[in-house]
Amino acid sequence: MAFGTKDLAPSELDGFDDEKLVAELEKAKKELFNLRFQSATGQLESHGRLKAVRRDIARIYTILRERELGIRTAPSVSE
């Protein structure tokens, strides 16, 4: 994976259940808001991080939608 967060690779996200994916989505959206705020105030040091976070958000939305359509299956709960 060339862009994005290393711990949010699609293979890693496949192992998350829907609640954890939604939590990761919320975290990524908050980070994107903070990065945009830093960019607007001229404090942003890494402009590539904006692109990476946007890709992470899109990746999470894609996995959630594929599960909704039945293309991808959610991990089974093993106890």
Side-chain angles (χ1 to χ4, degrees):
M1 180 173 76
F3 296 103
T5 309
K6 291 183 181 177
D7 59 339
L8 290 182
S11 58
E12 179 78 22
L13 291 173
D14 279 339
F16 292 173
D17 60 347
D18 289 343
E19 293 89 24
K20 188 162 183 182
L21 278 175
V22 171
E24 287 291 326
L25 180 64
E26 293 291 326
K27 190 169 73 171
K29 283 184 172 185
K30 286 179 184 177
E31 183 179 359
L32 182 61
F33 174 80
N34 289 332
L35 288 171
R36 280 194 201 142
F37 195 86
Q38 289 175 5
S39 178
T41 58
Q43 298 175 352
L44 185 62
E45 294 178 8
S46 174
H47 293 282
R49 187 72 187 133
L50 278 167
K51 184 176 182 180
V53 173
R54 279 197 305 263
R55 284 179 183 237
D56 288 342
I57 290 171
R59 191 173 292 121
I60 293 170
Y61 273 132
T62 300
I63 290 174
L64 286 172
R65 181 66 177 152
E66 286 176 350
R67 286 183 183 175
E68 184 180 310
L69 294 174
I71 297 169
R72 230 180 253 252
T73 59
S76 60
V77 178
S78 60
E79 295 181 26

